[in-house]
Amino acid sequence: MVREVAGGWKSNASAGLPSLPEAHRSLKIPKNAKWFRKFLAFAGPGYMVAVGYMDPGNWATDIAGGSKFSYTLLSVILLSNLMAVLLQSLAGKLGIVTGKDLAQACRDHFSKPVVIGLWILCETAIAACDLAEVIGTAIALNLLFGLPLIYGVTITAVDVLLILILQNKGFRVLEMLIIVLIATIGVCFGIDLFLTAPDAGSVFRGFVPSAEIVKNPEMLYIAIAILGATVMPHNLYLHSSIVQTRQIDQTPQGKRQAIKYMTWDSTIALTLALFINAAILIVSAAAFHSQGLTTVADISDAYHLLTPILGTTIGSIMFAVALLASGQNSTLTGTLAGQIVMEGFINIRLKPWLRRLITRLIAIVPAVIVTILYGDSGVQKLLILSQVILSLQLPFAVVPLVRFTSSKAKMGEFVNKLWLSILAWFITAVIIVLNMYLLIRTLF
């Protein structure tokens, strides 16, 4: 029997190296400053997490949903985002209170075979996400510069050098770059929304849930893909680690303050991600569905169709620039998530460049094969499949997170309140039921 230390864990938070040791508690928090300055000091991790909620995988599902079903699936994006806000707040709280990220917490709590299984599943999710980033970046390069997809896919291996340079500049520089790229995506889609001029009444009605989503199997399939693309499993591991980059007082009061600002940060950032995700679907619905083009699911098709429909090339250019920014943003955070997961679950510490290269090669190989064999259409199907894989992996990250944060022994006075635990378990149940339906429908 393993003896537990204080706090309900088998090992102290300080046992061994933390994940991302080069950035751990590297950013100071002003002690006697006003609340706004403190909030700015905590701001950053939420935007890094929000990147995963607007990556290229979201584009394929949002475009398909908008062109085929108009604004109906906006309610799915909204509900998925609300789920994400709650789950990310729990992930951040776990990291702040325990000093462990979610992967380390799993390694501490579960048996070795379970930990290995969870690690393999999480690595699969990261590879699927990286696959979406590779394909999205390659498509953007093709649309902007005419570069063949096969070359674009290969070029994405080079971004490992960019990540290494940025990591050496400090964690705050990485956060600032990500915020700039998110702002770029937001501006691009703001312009596209203005150009497509969607009907405001129809948009607002789209945010109201419809029973048709559950009754229509094809609509439900895309809805679950949107869920998988929005509530990213590896982002829960990422958030629980990067909140520890701040030097907070390790007292109940200090942790309580950190949780408050962390929650503000992630909620604001994810609200911005909601705007961008919704904007992709709204642009697709306003530009394509309204014209009777209900089968537009490819990012490339969407790009080429925007110019003749809008009567200007600006919409298409903004679309492609946002896609490129999205792919690069997701690459940066995917690197960190991969490092956190490997170090947390199995305590293997590779050089960052080697870790990134392995992850990227796992994504590049299937992308190259599919591009050669099936061309652009095959790549687009692979993009949507990657989001379904993410959705299937989601329960294996959410269940441990909710279990740990609902445990009085592990969280002490910061344990989830009863209403919060009930809500979190309800969301978990919804995710599991939807994924079981998706799996059964896919197999049979």
Side-chain angles (χ1 to χ4, degrees), residues 1-171:
M1 180 177 176
V2 180
R3 184 179 174 186
E4 292 193 346
V5 299
W9 298 99
K10 296 172 187 174
S11 62
N12 288 311
S14 58
L17 286 172
S19 57
L20 302 180
E22 66 278 5
H24 186 71
R25 295 183 185 172
S26 60
L27 300 176
K28 293 183 179 179
I29 304 297
K31 291 187 180 296
N32 299 316
K34 292 183 178 180
W35 70 269
F36 187 66
R37 279 196 62 203
K38 286 187 178 181
F39 168 69
L40 289 179
F42 277 100
Y47 293 90
M48 299 186 77
V49 169
V51 164
Y53 297 82
M54 58 183 90
D55 77 337
N58 295 58
W59 292 52
T61 52
D62 291 342
I63 290 170
S67 69
K68 194 165 189 67
F69 305 113
S70 190
Y71 304 106
T72 306
L73 293 179
L74 281 173
S75 59
V76 175
I77 293 177
L78 176 60
L79 291 173
S80 297
N81 201 266
L82 292 174
M83 289 182 185
V85 167
L86 187 143
L87 294 174
Q88 290 297 346
S89 69
L90 296 184
K93 183 168 74 168
L94 177 72
I96 290 168
V97 172
T98 68
K100 299 176 186 289
D101 61 58
L102 181 57
Q104 291 171 331
C106 289
R107 190 178 83 211
D108 181 280
H109 181 84
F110 296 113
S111 64
K112 193 168 184 179
V114 173
V115 169
I116 296 296
L118 290 172
W119 172 63
I120 292 171
L121 285 167
C122 195
E123 290 287 5
T124 303
I126 290 173
C129 185
D130 207 47
L131 181 62
E133 294 154 14
V134 166
I135 294 170
T137 301
I139 292 172
L141 292 172
N142 172 259
L143 298 177
L144 287 170
F145 308 111
L147 199 67
L149 281 178
I150 189 69
Y151 296 147
V153 167
T154 308
I155 285 173
T156 57
V158 181
D159 64 22
V160 66
L161 299 175
L162 173 65
I163 292 156
L164 288 173
I165 293 168
L166 289 170
Q167 282 183 329
N168 291 332
K169 296 288 184 181
F171 201 78

Side-chain angles (χ1 to χ4, degrees), residues 278-299:
I280 299 170
L281 190 143
I282 292 167
V283 166
S284 178
F288 308 135
H289 187 85
S290 62
Q291 299 289 324
L293 301 171
T294 59
T295 58
V296 180
D298 291 1
I299 292 174

